[in-house]
Amino acid sequence: MTHMDKWSVADDLDLKMVIGGERIEASNGARIQTEDPATGRVIGSFPAATADDVGRAVENSRAALKGDWRSMTPTARGRVLARAAAILRREAERMARVETLDSGKPLREAKGDIETSASYFEYYAGMADKLQGDSIPLGPDYMSFTLHEPVGVTAHIIPWNFPLTTTARGVAPALAAGCTAVVKPAALTSLTSILMADILEEAGLPAGVYNVVPGHGREAGSALVAHPDIAHVTFTGSVATGIGIMQSAATHVASVTLELGGKSPLVVLADADLDAAVEGTLKAIYMNAGQVCSAGSRLVVERKVHAAMMERLVPRVEAMMPGHGLDDAAIGPLVSAAQVGLVAGFVDDARKANSLNVVAGGRRLSPAGMEKGHFYAPTIIDDAPMDARVVQEEIFGPVLTVQIVDSPEEAIAVANGTEFGLCAGIYTRDISRAMAFARDVDAGQVFINQYFAGGVPTPFGGTKMSGFGREKGLAALASYYRVKCITTRL
Ligand code: NAD
């Protein structure tokens, strides 16, 4: 078997867009090719939706709101989502291989992503018939109650780092609430959200409820957000794009959920279990080669245990062998050559502008047989000052920045010292210190003694420049229904 045979999937990955249950080409015939980031080889293609195509998708989605979807009972709607979860699990191996080939992530991570995506459908399936309102006591002369109505057609703008999980994270609660969805995946990684349409169709989802308009952000994405019939936009991506989306949605008063970037601290106090802290740090920053908005990208460590942490961490990081995601390498490629360029630029800047100490990695890689791949070595930059770019700005790559502090109080100040506030972690055996940190840190999610603790049921979202609105858990549903209050005089 040649490498090229080994690093492929059986599926035909020349896909079409999905509008109103039809599989169609773009109105101008344009297509986008997608490559395997480990080899640079083209693995598939899909249409580049035009503004006209997006308009058609929104129209279909609007019509679907009033059709079979509306007449289904909420329990039946929930059953469709539960069936989608089961079918996705049946297709897990195939979907995970496609996700790995398209995004570069190691196969075990892609399998985790597919399972998480199935879990979103399963979790929200159970909520479809539990979105009940209140009765309001106004005295004997009135009856007053609330209904939870679907907001309408929802837009989902997806980034390239978690293609299917981000799609499922927004679409599953939207469908549970009775909304319809138009999904705009990232141009680099559109395959699995398109393939998800087949799974939802097999599960019994009526045509037009889930539409996929792949394409470029500036054309398909901006046309979708600007469409006057979009009631809510769920966006995950960069801060700059998120600000533009909020401005565009404001012109027709659509609500938005913004999941933007992060520079999340992982604090290790002197009393921590250092072995657990090392395992937690490795996962926090090197999962998906660091291309994770909630990555623990700043290790904030008490001086007393700094040397002990570095002694354990550095050899582990240097031993991480990069390779092809389908070989389940310790670390895969970054998503694109451009992303490698950005990451390399940050590390070079840390060396030149700040004379910082790069104690592991800090270079591009080209593993054998993957010379055209987009690899960057897992990297640690030690003892960085608060004002360094690598401390303040999101790198979105496998780069851990270490900050040394002299007390738990200083750790909180340093943890809060960026414009972001997505996640924060702490390792300590002192429950009071952990809780004081949880109280005082600016973050939407706090992890104690296990970075990334939680999952589908735990609400997720940011503060400050990391955005607002919550996804996951019951909190996510609030974006997808509106409360109507009905009051009658008796
Ligand atoms: P991006 O903002 O460039 O693109 C995200 C999506 O928006 C893509 O689908 C893109 O095509 C689309 N888009 C771009 N311009 C648009 C426009 N003008 N109108 C409408 N849509 C447009 O981000 P990216 O490079 O794909 O993803 C990386 C970024 O996403 C990082 O900054 C990361 O922190 C962030 N991110 C955040 C979370 C989170 O949950 N908070 C999760 C993953 C990624």
Side-chain angles (χ1 to χ4, degrees):
M1 187 189 265
T2 67
H3 272 162
M4 283 308 163
D5 292 330
K6 190 167 111 182
W7 294 332
S8 359
V9 291
D11 301 60
D12 171 4
L13 295 177
D14 289 320
L15 305 178
K16 298 200 171 157
M17 73 174 98
V18 184
I19 296 181
E22 309 270 306
R23 306 296 189 270
I24 57 176
E25 294 291 349
S27 54
N28 64 2
R31 291 184 72 82
I32 296 173
Q33 291 189 323
T34 189
E35 64 168 42
D36 169 0
T39 60
R41 188 172 61 103
V42 172
I43 53 152
S45 64
F46 45 82
T50 62
D52 283 351
D53 298 323
V54 169
R56 203 134 40 100
V58 176
E59 263 169 47
N60 271 276
S61 206
R62 197 164 162 225
L65 261 184
K66 304 209 165 72
D68 294 347
W69 193 227
R70 189 176 185 202
S71 48
M72 246 184 221
T73 64
T75 307
R77 236 172 26 223
R79 282 194 199 117
V80 171
L81 299 192
R83 277 197 297 272
I87 298 166
L88 183 52
R89 287 197 172 104
R90 186 193 75 202
E91 298 296 322
E93 182 71 29
R94 182 173 71 93
M95 291 289 273
R97 290 181 71 82
V98 173
E99 197 78 312
T100 284
L101 206 53
D102 204 14
S103 69
K105 63 178 67 193
L107 190 57
R108 62 182 179 286
E109 292 184 14
K111 285 180 178 168
D113 283 6
I114 305 303
E115 172 51 30
T116 301
S117 304
S119 299
Y120 281 121
F121 285 101
E122 187 173 50
Y123 179 84
Y124 291 108
M127 284 310 298
D129 58 3
K130 296 169 193 71
L131 293 174
Q132 55 201 27
D134 297 316
S135 66
I136 295 131
L138 294 180
D141 297 336
Y142 295 90
M143 289 268 248
S144 184
F145 62 97
T146 58
L147 297 180
H148 287 185
E149 295 181 329
V151 294
V153 183
T154 58
H156 302 260
I157 313 266
I158 311 297
W160 45 257
N161 57 341
F162 285 92
L164 191 63
T165 50
T166 314
T167 303
R169 185 171 83 185
V171 166
L175 300 188
C179 297
T180 58
V182 182
V183 176
K184 209 301 279 174
L188 288 169
T189 56
S190 295
L191 300 177
T192 47
S193 59
I194 300 176
L195 293 172
M196 190 67 211
D198 299 339
I199 290 173
L200 286 162
E201 192 172 287
E202 186 184 337
L205 193 75
V209 176
Y210 177 84
N211 306 275
V212 189
V213 285
H216 299 290
R218 63 184 176 278
E219 177 153 21
S222 59
L224 181 57
V225 174
H227 198 293
D229 288 333
I230 292 294
H232 181 83
V233 182
T234 295
F235 171 75
T236 302
S238 59
V239 175
T241 306
I243 290 170
I245 281 177
M246 196 171 163
Q247 286 167 336
S248 171
T251 59
H252 56 105
V253 198
S255 51
V256 291
T257 300
L258 297 181
E259 299 285 6
L260 309 177
K263 193 74 191 176
S264 301
L266 189 164
V267 171
V268 178
L269 296 186
D271 71 345
D273 173 344
L274 293 192
D275 292 327
V278 165
E279 296 309 322
T281 306
L282 292 169
K283 192 166 177 204
I285 184 61
Y286 300 117
M287 189 178 84
N288 202 20
Q291 302 163 111
V292 180
C293 54
S294 51
S297 52
R298 293 188 294 136
L299 176 64
V300 179
V301 58
E302 266 198 279
R303 192 177 303 279
K304 281 181 233 159
V305 289
H306 169 251
M309 275 298 284
M310 300 310 281
E311 266 163 34
R312 288 167 165 84
L313 264 180
V314 171
R316 289 285 299 279
V317 171
E318 283 180 334
M320 288 175 88
M321 292 301 292
H324 201 287
L326 287 179
D327 293 337
D328 214 15
I331 188 160
L334 304 194
V335 74
S336 64
Q339 197 63 19
V340 174
L342 282 175
V343 172
F346 271 106
V347 178
D348 293 346
D349 180 68
R351 281 192 179 105
K352 282 190 204 122
N354 302 93
S355 308
L356 294 184
N357 196 9
V358 180
V359 294
R363 61 188 187 284
R364 295 166 191 256
L365 299 171
S366 59
M370 288 168 272
E371 288 75 12
K372 292 195 177 141
H374 314 309
F375 290 90
Y376 197 84
T379 297
I380 303 178
I381 301 175
D382 199 10
D383 195 11
M386 202 67 225
D387 60 356
R389 266 185 78 213
V390 289
V391 168
Q392 292 297 331
E393 295 180 32
E394 184 177 51
I395 300 177
F396 228 57
V399 180
L400 179 69
T401 307
V402 181
Q403 297 175 268
I404 306 171
V405 293
D406 286 302
S407 67
E409 293 71 29
E410 190 187 353
I412 293 173
V414 164
N416 287 338
T418 73
E419 64 180 7
F420 296 108
L422 193 53
C423 295
I426 186 164
Y427 283 76
T428 173
R429 290 187 167 96
D430 184 329
I431 186 72
S432 296
R433 288 217 163 112
M435 285 300 160
F437 176 80
R439 181 194 61 203
D440 294 337
V441 76
D442 253 335
Q445 278 204 327
V446 181
F447 309 121
I448 299 172
N449 289 329
Q450 187 192 325
Y451 203 87
F452 292 137
V456 169
T458 50
F460 172 75
T463 66
K464 302 195 284 187
M465 296 299 271
S466 294
F468 61 84
R470 290 294 175 264
E471 300 204 83
K472 302 185 175 182
L474 299 183
L477 288 159
S479 299
Y480 301 108
Y481 64 75
R482 60 178 171 232
V483 176
K484 180 185 274 176
C485 184
I486 299 163
T487 305
T488 181
R489 166 96 210 194
L490 300 180

Tab-separated table of all heavy atoms in Angstrom, residues 421-461:
chain	number	residue	atom	x	y	z
A	421	GLY	N	-11.605	36.331	27.671
A	421	GLY	CA	-12.153	35.709	28.880
A	421	GLY	C	-12.996	34.498	28.513
A	421	GLY	O	-14.191	34.471	28.766
A	422	LEU	N	-12.358	33.509	27.890
A	422	LEU	CA	-13.146	32.340	27.479
A	422	LEU	C	-13.123	31.264	28.562
A	422	LEU	O	-14.132	30.975	29.179
A	422	LEU	CB	-12.624	31.808	26.132
A	422	LEU	CG	-13.521	30.792	25.427
A	422	LEU	CD1	-14.941	31.289	25.265
A	422	LEU	CD2	-12.949	30.426	24.058
A	423	CYS	N	-11.941	30.672	28.808
A	423	CYS	CA	-11.838	29.615	29.822
A	423	CYS	C	-10.686	29.931	30.762
A	423	CYS	O	-9.845	30.779	30.473
A	423	CYS	CB	-11.556	28.255	29.153
A	423	CYS	SG	-12.914	27.708	28.112
A	424	ALA	N	-10.659	29.216	31.894
A	424	ALA	CA	-9.527	29.331	32.814
A	424	ALA	C	-9.445	28.032	33.590
A	424	ALA	O	-10.477	27.442	33.939
A	424	ALA	CB	-9.739	30.500	33.784
A	425	GLY	N	-8.210	27.570	33.847
A	425	GLY	CA	-8.027	26.333	34.609
A	425	GLY	C	-7.131	26.587	35.797
A	425	GLY	O	-6.312	27.517	35.793
A	426	ILE	N	-7.308	25.753	36.836
A	426	ILE	CA	-6.405	25.843	37.983
A	426	ILE	C	-6.143	24.446	38.536
A	426	ILE	O	-7.066	23.608	38.593
A	426	ILE	CB	-6.947	26.794	39.082
A	426	ILE	CG1	-5.901	26.982	40.191
A	426	ILE	CG2	-8.268	26.307	39.662
A	426	ILE	CD1	-6.168	28.177	41.097
A	427	TYR	N	-4.871	24.196	38.879
A	427	TYR	CA	-4.497	22.960	39.570
A	427	TYR	C	-4.012	23.345	40.966
A	427	TYR	O	-3.065	24.117	41.112
A	427	TYR	CB	-3.388	22.213	38.802
A	427	TYR	CG	-3.922	21.478	37.586
A	427	TYR	CD1	-4.251	22.157	36.421
A	427	TYR	CD2	-4.136	20.095	37.628
A	427	TYR	CE1	-4.781	21.496	35.326
A	427	TYR	CE2	-4.655	19.422	36.531
A	427	TYR	CZ	-4.976	20.127	35.385
A	427	TYR	OH	-5.497	19.463	34.306
A	428	THR	N	-4.717	22.855	41.983
A	428	THR	CA	-4.352	23.097	43.380
A	428	THR	C	-5.076	22.064	44.232
A	428	THR	O	-6.142	21.565	43.842
A	428	THR	CB	-4.752	24.512	43.849
A	428	THR	OG1	-4.506	24.622	45.254
A	428	THR	CG2	-6.216	24.832	43.603
A	429	ARG	N	-4.495	21.735	45.407
A	429	ARG	CA	-5.205	20.833	46.319
A	429	ARG	C	-6.036	21.621	47.336
A	429	ARG	O	-6.707	21.036	48.177
A	429	ARG	CB	-4.197	19.949	47.066
A	429	ARG	CG	-3.514	18.924	46.178
A	429	ARG	CD	-2.665	17.974	47.010
A	429	ARG	NE	-2.232	16.819	46.258
A	429	ARG	CZ	-1.042	16.720	45.651
A	429	ARG	NH1	-0.187	17.721	45.696
A	429	ARG	NH2	-0.715	15.621	45.001
A	430	ASP	N	-5.970	22.955	47.256
A	430	ASP	CA	-6.635	23.806	48.241
A	430	ASP	C	-7.990	24.273	47.667
A	430	ASP	O	-8.033	25.138	46.780
A	430	ASP	CB	-5.706	24.999	48.538
A	430	ASP	CG	-6.264	25.909	49.620
A	430	ASP	OD1	-7.505	26.022	49.735
A	430	ASP	OD2	-5.449	26.540	50.322
A	431	ILE	N	-9.058	23.705	48.190
A	431	ILE	CA	-10.386	23.987	47.621
A	431	ILE	C	-10.761	25.467	47.752
A	431	ILE	O	-11.394	26.041	46.862
A	431	ILE	CB	-11.462	23.060	48.252
A	431	ILE	CG1	-12.825	23.240	47.577
A	431	ILE	CG2	-11.594	23.266	49.748
A	431	ILE	CD1	-12.904	22.691	46.216
A	432	SER	N	-10.323	26.115	48.856
A	432	SER	CA	-10.671	27.532	49.018
A	432	SER	C	-9.971	28.380	47.967
A	432	SER	O	-10.567	29.289	47.386
A	432	SER	CB	-10.261	28.037	50.408
A	432	SER	OG	-10.994	27.360	51.370
A	433	ARG	N	-8.703	28.054	47.705
A	433	ARG	CA	-7.975	28.810	46.664
A	433	ARG	C	-8.618	28.582	45.296
A	433	ARG	O	-8.747	29.505	44.494
A	433	ARG	CB	-6.513	28.357	46.635
A	433	ARG	CG	-5.757	28.852	47.854
A	433	ARG	CD	-4.323	29.236	47.451
A	433	ARG	NE	-3.752	30.059	48.501
A	433	ARG	CZ	-2.748	29.671	49.283
A	433	ARG	NH1	-2.184	28.488	49.124
A	433	ARG	NH2	-2.290	30.492	50.195
A	434	ALA	N	-8.998	27.336	45.051
A	434	ALA	CA	-9.619	27.019	43.752
A	434	ALA	C	-10.916	27.812	43.597
A	434	ALA	O	-11.187	28.385	42.533
A	434	ALA	CB	-9.895	25.522	43.654
A	435	MET	N	-11.703	27.864	44.654
A	435	MET	CA	-12.993	28.562	44.569
A	435	MET	C	-12.814	30.079	44.503
A	435	MET	O	-13.588	30.763	43.816
A	435	MET	CB	-13.872	28.179	45.762
A	435	MET	CG	-14.449	26.793	45.644
A	435	MET	SD	-15.468	26.663	44.154
A	435	MET	CE	-15.515	24.910	43.937
A	436	ALA	N	-11.792	30.598	45.200
A	436	ALA	CA	-11.533	32.042	45.111
A	436	ALA	C	-11.122	32.393	43.671
A	436	ALA	O	-11.545	33.409	43.113
A	436	ALA	CB	-10.431	32.441	46.095
A	437	PHE	N	-10.328	31.514	43.063
A	437	PHE	CA	-9.938	31.722	41.665
A	437	PHE	C	-11.171	31.681	40.765
A	437	PHE	O	-11.376	32.563	39.917
A	437	PHE	CB	-8.933	30.624	41.264
A	437	PHE	CG	-8.524	30.662	39.822
A	437	PHE	CD1	-7.557	31.561	39.381
A	437	PHE	CD2	-9.089	29.794	38.892
A	437	PHE	CE1	-7.176	31.597	38.042
A	437	PHE	CE2	-8.717	29.827	37.561
A	437	PHE	CZ	-7.752	30.729	37.129
A	438	ALA	N	-12.023	30.678	40.987
A	438	ALA	CA	-13.230	30.544	40.156
A	438	ALA	C	-14.115	31.795	40.286
A	438	ALA	O	-14.707	32.255	39.317
A	438	ALA	CB	-14.007	29.295	40.565
A	439	ARG	N	-14.163	32.352	41.508
A	439	ARG	CA	-14.972	33.556	41.746
A	439	ARG	C	-14.387	34.766	41.029
A	439	ARG	O	-15.104	35.558	40.436
A	439	ARG	CB	-15.029	33.816	43.258
A	439	ARG	CG	-15.851	35.025	43.679
A	439	ARG	CD	-15.571	35.382	45.135
A	439	ARG	NE	-14.166	35.721	45.338
A	439	ARG	CZ	-13.525	35.660	46.501
A	439	ARG	NH1	-14.163	35.277	47.590
A	439	ARG	NH2	-12.243	35.975	46.593
A	440	ASP	N	-13.062	34.901	41.047
A	440	ASP	CA	-12.434	36.153	40.610
A	440	ASP	C	-11.948	36.154	39.161
A	440	ASP	O	-11.588	37.203	38.645
A	440	ASP	CB	-11.244	36.477	41.528
A	440	ASP	CG	-11.714	36.777	42.953
A	440	ASP	OD1	-12.894	37.162	43.114
A	440	ASP	OD2	-10.919	36.600	43.895
A	441	VAL	N	-11.904	34.985	38.535
A	441	VAL	CA	-11.347	34.971	37.181
A	441	VAL	C	-12.431	35.362	36.171
A	441	VAL	O	-13.603	35.021	36.332
A	441	VAL	CB	-10.721	33.583	36.865
A	441	VAL	CG1	-11.789	32.531	36.576
A	441	VAL	CG2	-9.725	33.693	35.720
A	442	ASP	N	-12.019	36.101	35.155
A	442	ASP	CA	-12.917	36.541	34.087
A	442	ASP	C	-12.955	35.465	33.024
A	442	ASP	O	-12.091	35.439	32.131
A	442	ASP	CB	-12.298	37.798	33.436
A	442	ASP	CG	-13.047	39.045	33.812
A	442	ASP	OD1	-14.231	38.942	34.142
A	442	ASP	OD2	-12.412	40.115	33.753
A	443	ALA	N	-13.926	34.578	33.089
A	443	ALA	CA	-13.999	33.499	32.101
A	443	ALA	C	-15.401	32.909	32.134
A	443	ALA	O	-16.078	32.944	33.163
A	443	ALA	CB	-12.980	32.404	32.432
A	444	GLY	N	-15.812	32.350	31.021
A	444	GLY	CA	-17.128	31.716	30.950
A	444	GLY	C	-17.112	30.297	31.495
A	444	GLY	O	-18.146	29.776	31.908
A	445	GLN	N	-15.961	29.644	31.450
A	445	GLN	CA	-15.837	28.282	31.987
A	445	GLN	C	-14.576	28.201	32.826
A	445	GLN	O	-13.509	28.666	32.389
A	445	GLN	CB	-15.716	27.246	30.859
A	445	GLN	CG	-17.047	26.839	30.264
A	445	GLN	CD	-16.997	25.454	29.610
A	445	GLN	OE1	-15.989	25.048	29.060
A	445	GLN	NE2	-18.104	24.745	29.656
A	446	VAL	N	-14.680	27.590	34.002
A	446	VAL	CA	-13.517	27.408	34.874
A	446	VAL	C	-13.352	25.913	35.138
A	446	VAL	O	-14.319	25.224	35.478
A	446	VAL	CB	-13.697	28.161	36.206
A	446	VAL	CG1	-12.467	27.976	37.097
A	446	VAL	CG2	-13.950	29.642	35.954
A	447	PHE	N	-12.126	25.418	34.929
A	447	PHE	CA	-11.840	23.991	35.125
A	447	PHE	C	-10.921	23.841	36.341
A	447	PHE	O	-9.867	24.468	36.382
A	447	PHE	CB	-11.110	23.415	33.912
A	447	PHE	CG	-11.769	23.714	32.580
A	447	PHE	CD1	-11.069	24.403	31.580
A	447	PHE	CD2	-13.062	23.289	32.312
A	447	PHE	CE1	-11.655	24.658	30.347
A	447	PHE	CE2	-13.653	23.546	31.072
A	447	PHE	CZ	-12.949	24.229	30.092
A	448	ILE	N	-11.315	23.013	37.290
A	448	ILE	CA	-10.487	22.808	38.489
A	448	ILE	C	-9.934	21.389	38.469
A	448	ILE	O	-10.698	20.411	38.426
A	448	ILE	CB	-11.307	23.074	39.767
A	448	ILE	CG1	-11.792	24.528	39.763
A	448	ILE	CG2	-10.474	22.774	41.017
A	448	ILE	CD1	-12.760	24.883	40.867
A	449	ASN	N	-8.621	21.287	38.459
A	449	ASN	CA	-7.885	20.020	38.491
A	449	ASN	C	-8.152	19.097	37.304
A	449	ASN	O	-7.842	17.914	37.362
A	449	ASN	CB	-8.121	19.269	39.804
A	449	ASN	CG	-7.418	19.992	40.955
A	449	ASN	OD1	-6.382	20.628	40.746
A	449	ASN	ND2	-7.975	19.906	42.153
A	450	GLN	N	-8.718	19.612	36.221
A	450	GLN	CA	-8.783	18.878	34.948
A	450	GLN	C	-9.177	19.869	33.862
A	450	GLN	O	-10.350	20.252	33.768
A	450	GLN	CB	-9.794	17.722	34.997
A	450	GLN	CG	-9.725	16.863	33.742
A	450	GLN	CD	-10.880	15.884	33.618
A	450	GLN	OE1	-11.367	15.361	34.614
A	450	GLN	NE2	-11.308	15.650	32.385
A	451	TYR	N	-8.179	20.278	33.073
A	451	TYR	CA	-8.506	21.227	32.005
A	451	TYR	C	-9.465	20.545	31.029
A	451	TYR	O	-9.333	19.369	30.735
A	451	TYR	CB	-7.232	21.705	31.294
A	451	TYR	CG	-7.456	23.034	30.604
A	451	TYR	CD1	-7.290	24.237	31.294
A	451	TYR	CD2	-7.900	23.085	29.294
A	451	TYR	CE1	-7.546	25.453	30.680
A	451	TYR	CE2	-8.158	24.299	28.671
A	451	TYR	CZ	-7.977	25.486	29.366
A	451	TYR	OH	-8.252	26.689	28.757
A	452	PHE	N	-10.435	21.260	30.527
A	452	PHE	CA	-11.497	20.766	29.627
A	452	PHE	C	-12.516	19.872	30.350
A	452	PHE	O	-13.266	19.151	29.682
A	452	PHE	CB	-10.960	19.996	28.413
A	452	PHE	CG	-10.199	20.827	27.404
A	452	PHE	CD1	-9.015	20.355	26.846
A	452	PHE	CD2	-10.668	22.059	26.984
A	452	PHE	CE1	-8.312	21.090	25.908
A	452	PHE	CE2	-9.971	22.813	26.037
A	452	PHE	CZ	-8.787	22.324	25.502
A	453	ALA	N	-12.531	19.877	31.694
A	453	ALA	CA	-13.561	19.093	32.386
A	453	ALA	C	-14.939	19.593	31.941
A	453	ALA	O	-15.131	20.792	31.729
A	453	ALA	CB	-13.416	19.253	33.896
A	454	GLY	N	-15.875	18.674	31.785
A	454	GLY	CA	-17.227	19.062	31.343
A	454	GLY	C	-17.513	18.456	29.992
A	454	GLY	O	-16.908	17.464	29.609
A	455	GLY	N	-18.423	19.056	29.255
A	455	GLY	CA	-18.781	18.503	27.951
A	455	GLY	C	-20.064	19.109	27.440
A	455	GLY	O	-20.379	20.265	27.732
A	456	VAL	N	-20.814	18.309	26.698
A	456	VAL	CA	-22.037	18.795	26.048
A	456	VAL	C	-22.993	19.482	27.046
A	456	VAL	O	-23.564	20.524	26.731
A	456	VAL	CB	-22.724	17.620	25.310
A	456	VAL	CG1	-24.118	17.983	24.837
A	456	VAL	CG2	-21.849	17.180	24.127
A	457	PRO	N	-23.192	18.959	28.268
A	457	PRO	CA	-24.176	19.600	29.164
A	457	PRO	C	-23.673	20.857	29.870
A	457	PRO	O	-24.449	21.498	30.568
A	457	PRO	CB	-24.467	18.507	30.219
A	457	PRO	CG	-23.841	17.248	29.698
A	457	PRO	CD	-22.728	17.673	28.805
A	458	THR	N	-22.376	21.215	29.749
A	458	THR	CA	-21.858	22.350	30.527
A	458	THR	C	-21.818	23.613	29.663
A	458	THR	O	-21.152	23.647	28.626
A	458	THR	CB	-20.437	22.054	31.065
A	458	THR	OG1	-19.608	21.588	30.001
A	458	THR	CG2	-20.464	21.007	32.156
A	459	PRO	N	-22.532	24.683	30.079
A	459	PRO	CA	-22.616	25.906	29.263
A	459	PRO	C	-21.236	26.480	28.952
A	459	PRO	O	-20.345	26.481	29.806
A	459	PRO	CB	-23.416	26.866	30.143
A	459	PRO	CG	-24.150	26.003	31.093
A	459	PRO	CD	-23.295	24.791	31.317
A	460	PHE	N	-21.110	26.993	27.722
A	460	PHE	CA	-19.810	27.412	27.206
A	460	PHE	C	-19.955	28.736	26.475
A	460	PHE	O	-20.883	28.916	25.684
A	460	PHE	CB	-19.298	26.333	26.240
A	460	PHE	CG	-18.056	26.716	25.486
A	460	PHE	CD1	-16.832	26.712	26.127
A	460	PHE	CD2	-18.109	27.067	24.143
A	460	PHE	CE1	-15.676	27.063	25.445
A	460	PHE	CE2	-16.961	27.420	23.458
A	460	PHE	CZ	-15.745	27.417	24.103
A	461	GLY	N	-19.029	29.664	26.746
A	461	GLY	CA	-19.039	30.939	26.037
A	461	GLY	C	-18.129	31.905	26.759
A	461	GLY	O	-17.572	31.573	27.807
